[in-house]
């Protein structure tokens, strides 16, 4: 995008680079495209995080304080191996999004369906089904390995198994969502996922507390509700793809044809992304074990802080996803300057939103944690962690968005390097030093998180500045 295009007003009928038409005149069409694509993703992620926070709050409000803390800890323990599986699936999705965006930008939409089918099948056959079976068969052993105390295992092993059944459906949904984002369609997955999450919250209320005529199942009820919501989302996704006016036409009854080029691209883009995700999750496993050693109550405080941290990830993730799609399509159409403009604009807007959230976390931490629990020890621990989370925000948001831009270009090696160095070289080592050697407790663990995010930002920002990502080739 040239300087002239950024300054002059666009005609009402001009087609924007992202494929949408302007509803009124914009002085900055790049910003228009960014907001058009990013706001549904941001709403979707924010609502997902908020619904997740409500789930955690519901468990925190269980009358029996010991059972409540064990239930919250059980969800946190379950989330870690679950996130490993989801991050591996997401690595394939990264490759799919990059390829689909390139093909759309290069006016080759006939290749999109083949890419999506390859991603779905690889995710289900290689990851979702085997990992789901492993989680169901070895739930207690995995939880103990993760550092769960006996009360946490007793409260949450059934929850663990039920949620891993839903993992298969969640993986399927993520693949379709990634493909839709690659073509620039973000509103449909937003509506589907918000509806599914809303049903999950209603189901949690009914099954955790035994409202109306439903049994009181506690954390097990939360697992049932979560899995059913994933099934509902899968049904809605398939219905959307079967609509005649769907921008992503996929015929699941049509015979699948293996495509060597698609596999080669997915391997070249997906392996670094997969290793990045694996490094991140394995590093966090070690990190979680260090924190879990501080006891159930402190670990529950940590999980509440993580829940709120998840909310703060949303602007960076949303604008990172938008950057992936727009950078990929711009490079597909050979417009290198436009790709850079999109990356910079997404970073600017996402960082502004994250800064606002940082202010809220820093000054209103106790009030936010108080929504989860009335336990003064948990409130004190978690609100202290929130002050560090606030300081993390500028670096976290920037690196998430620029890493998204690099992935959209198919440049997935440097985000891998950044994550490996940040997580293993700083988060794991420093958390061990601060918690186990210096005895700083939970606050020490979060000092290590700050160091990790700063290092990752340094690597990703440095790579973006080289402009080498503009010249990555996809067949």
């Amino acid at each position: 995008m040239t300087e002239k295009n950024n300054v002059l007003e666009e005609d009402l009928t001009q087609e924007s680079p992202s494929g949408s038409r302007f509803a009124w005149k914009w002085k900055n069409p790049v910003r228009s495209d960014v907001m058009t694509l990013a706001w549904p993703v941001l709403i979707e992620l924010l609502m997902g995080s908020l619904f997740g926070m409500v789930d955690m709050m519901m468990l925190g409000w269980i009358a029996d304080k010991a059972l409540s803390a064990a239930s919250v800890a059980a969800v946190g323990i379950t989330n870690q191996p679950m996130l490993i599986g989801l991050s591996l699936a997401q690595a394939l999705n990264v490759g799919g999004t990059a390829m689909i965006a390139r093909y759309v930008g290069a006016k080759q939409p006939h290749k999109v369906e083949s890419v999506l089918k390859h991603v779905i099948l690889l995710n289900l056959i290689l990851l979702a089904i085997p990992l789901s079976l492993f989680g169901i068969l070895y739930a207690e052993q995995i939880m103990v390995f993760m550092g769960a105390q006996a009360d946490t295992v007793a409260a949450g092993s059934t929850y663990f198994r039920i949620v891993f059944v839903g993992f298969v459906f969640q993986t399927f949904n993520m693949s379709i969502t990634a493909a839709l984002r690659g073509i620039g369609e973000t509103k449909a997955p937003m509506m589907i996922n918000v509806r599914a999450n809303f049903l999950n919250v209603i189901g949690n209320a009914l099954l955790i507390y035994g409202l109306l005529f439903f049994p009181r199942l506690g954390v097990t009820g939360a697992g049932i509700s979560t899995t059913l919501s994933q099934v509902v989302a899968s049904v809605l996704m398939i219905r959307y793809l079967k609509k005649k006016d769907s921008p992503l036409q996929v015929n699941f009854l049509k015979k699948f044809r293996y495509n060597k080029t698609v596999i080669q691209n997915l391997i070249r883009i997906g392996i670094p992304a997969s290793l990045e995700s694996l490094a991140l999750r394995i590093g966090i496993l070690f990190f979680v074990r260090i924190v879990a050693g501080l006891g159930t109550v402190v670990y529950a405080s940590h999980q509440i802080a993580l829940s709120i941290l998840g909310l703060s990830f949303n602007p960076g993730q949303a604008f990172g996803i938008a950057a992936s799609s727009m950078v990929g399509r711009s490079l597909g159409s050979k417009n290198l300057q436009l790709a850079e403009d999109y990356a910079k604009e997404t970073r600017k807007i996402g960082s502004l939103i994250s800064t606002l959230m940082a202010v809220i976390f820093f000054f209103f931490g106790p009030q936010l944690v108080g929504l989860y629990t009335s336990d003064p020890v948990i409130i004190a621990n978690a609100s202290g962690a929130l002050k560090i989370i606030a300081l993390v925000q500028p670096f976290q948001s920037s690196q998430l968005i620029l890493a998204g831009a690099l992935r959209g270009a198919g440049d997935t090696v440097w985000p891998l390097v950044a994550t490996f160095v940040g997580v293993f070289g700083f988060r794991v080592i420093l958390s061990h030093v601060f918690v186990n050697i210096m005895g700083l407790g939970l606050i020490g663990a979060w000092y290590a998180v700050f160091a990790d995010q700063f290092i990752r930002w340094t690597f990703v920002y440095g790579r973006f500045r080289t402009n080498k990502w503009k010249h990555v080739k996809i067949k």
Side-chain angles (χ1 to χ4, degrees):
M1 181 64 65
T2 65
E3 184 178 354
K4 180 179 179 181
N5 283 338
N6 279 324
V7 175
L8 297 179
E9 294 183 346
E10 297 288 322
D11 184 80
L12 289 176
T13 61
Q14 180 175 339
E15 189 82 6
S16 78
S18 70
S20 61
R21 292 182 180 275
F22 301 129
W24 58 84
K25 292 183 179 180
W26 290 91
K27 290 186 178 181
N28 189 336
V30 170
R31 185 170 301 158
S32 169
D33 289 338
V34 168
M35 293 306 298
T36 298
L37 194 62
W39 77 260
V41 183
L42 180 58
I43 295 298
E44 176 188 345
L45 295 177
L46 282 173
M47 294 301 291
S49 291
L50 288 171
F51 285 139
M53 291 169 71
V54 170
D55 290 352
M56 195 78 80
M57 291 174 193
M58 288 180 179
L59 295 172
W61 292 334
I62 292 175
D64 185 330
K65 294 298 182 185
L67 178 60
S68 173
S71 297
V72 170
V75 172
I77 289 288
T78 303
N79 283 344
Q80 297 310 314
M82 174 67 72
L83 286 172
I84 289 177
L86 291 176
S87 63
L88 291 174
Q90 187 62 23
L92 276 173
N93 295 337
V94 167
T97 298
M99 291 172 63
I100 288 170
R102 284 286 187 103
Y103 292 149
V104 171
K107 308 298 183 186
Q108 296 176 323
H110 59 283
K111 296 183 178 181
V112 170
E113 180 177 359
S114 176
V115 173
L116 175 57
K117 285 185 175 180
H118 278 78
V119 170
I120 290 174
L121 286 175
L122 289 172
N123 267 330
L124 290 178
I125 295 172
L126 298 182
L127 291 173
I129 294 174
L131 290 179
S132 179
L133 290 174
F134 185 76
I136 292 168
L137 292 174
Y138 299 102
E140 288 90 355
Q141 292 91 330
I142 296 171
M143 294 182 75
V144 171
F145 174 78
M146 291 292 303
Q149 307 292 320
D151 56 348
T152 301
V153 175
S157 59
T158 303
Y159 168 86
F160 191 103
R161 289 188 170 91
I162 294 170
V163 168
F164 264 82
V165 173
F167 174 67
V168 176
F169 298 95
Q170 191 172 1
T171 301
F172 175 78
N173 299 338
M174 287 171 58
S175 297
I176 296 176
T177 297
L180 288 169
R181 289 169 177 168
I183 66 172
E185 172 54 70
T186 55
K187 292 181 182 178
M190 175 199 72
M191 294 301 299
I192 290 171
N193 286 312
V194 167
R195 287 160 68 183
N197 278 313
F198 179 76
L199 290 174
N200 181 30
V201 170
I202 298 299
N204 279 346
L206 296 174
L207 295 175
I208 290 174
Y209 303 123
L211 302 180
L212 301 178
F213 53 84
F214 290 91
R216 181 183 299 176
L217 299 176
V219 69
T220 299
I224 294 172
S225 178
T226 297
T227 296
L228 289 177
S229 71
Q230 294 296 343
V231 174
V232 169
S234 295
V235 172
L236 294 176
M237 288 284 185
I238 294 172
R239 285 181 57 188
Y240 177 77
L241 294 182
K242 292 177 66 175
K243 291 171 61 177
K244 290 183 178 180
D245 59 346
S246 172
L248 182 60
Q249 294 293 327
V250 180
N251 184 355
F252 288 106
L253 299 179
K254 183 179 177 182
K255 185 178 179 180
F256 172 75
R257 293 184 180 277
Y258 169 80
N259 188 310
K260 183 179 179 181
T261 300
V262 171
I263 296 296
Q264 287 175 339
N265 282 331
L266 286 176
I267 289 174
R268 189 166 60 84
I269 300 171
I271 283 184
S274 178
L275 292 174
E276 177 196 352
S277 299
L278 191 61
L280 175 63
R281 291 303 154 194
I282 291 176
I284 290 178
L285 276 178
F286 287 112
F287 176 70
V288 165
R289 292 193 69 186
I290 291 170
V291 177
L294 294 171
T296 298
V297 172
V298 174
Y299 188 73
S301 306
H302 178 65
Q303 284 307 314
I304 290 173
L306 281 179
S307 177
I308 298 172
L309 176 66
L311 183 67
S312 76
F313 274 117
N314 294 155
Q317 288 178 322
F319 285 92
I321 289 168
S324 291
S325 179
M326 292 184 293
V327 165
R329 280 181 286 156
S330 299
L331 294 178
S333 62
K334 311 297 184 184
N335 195 332
L336 306 188
Q337 183 58 49
L338 181 59
E340 182 176 345
D341 290 341
Y342 278 139
K344 289 181 176 179
E345 190 65 30
T346 51
R347 180 187 175 215
K348 183 190 303 181
I349 300 173
S351 297
L352 182 64
I353 296 173
S354 292
T355 300
L356 177 62
M357 297 181 73
V359 173
I360 296 173
F361 293 160
F362 193 89
F363 291 104
F364 300 100
Q367 290 80 2
L368 287 173
V369 180
L371 297 173
Y372 289 81
T373 180
S374 59
D375 188 318
V377 177
I378 293 179
I379 290 176
N381 277 297
S383 58
L386 282 184
K387 291 189 181 298
I388 301 175
I389 291 174
L391 300 177
V392 165
Q393 291 308 298
F395 305 105
Q396 172 185 286
S397 177
S398 181
Q399 72 94 358
L400 283 172
I401 295 168
L402 293 181
L406 295 180
R407 294 185 189 105
D411 186 5
T412 52
V413 173
W414 277 95
L416 163 64
V417 173
T419 298
F420 191 88
V421 174
V423 173
F424 286 104
F426 287 83
R427 181 184 294 207
V428 173
I429 292 175
L430 290 182
S431 61
H432 172 69
V433 171
F434 292 154
V435 174
N436 295 333
I437 298 177
M438 298 178 65
L440 296 179
L442 184 61
I443 203 74
W446 283 92
Y447 287 153
V449 172
F450 177 86
D452 166 29
Q453 290 290 349
F454 178 78
I455 291 299
R456 280 198 260 173
W457 169 79
T458 302
F459 276 88
V460 170
Y461 182 67
R463 175 61 176 180
F464 179 79
R465 289 288 301 272
T466 67
N467 287 326
K468 292 180 180 179
W469 53 271
K470 296 179 181 179
H471 306 288
V472 175
K473 303 296 182 184
I474 293 180
K475 297 179 182 179

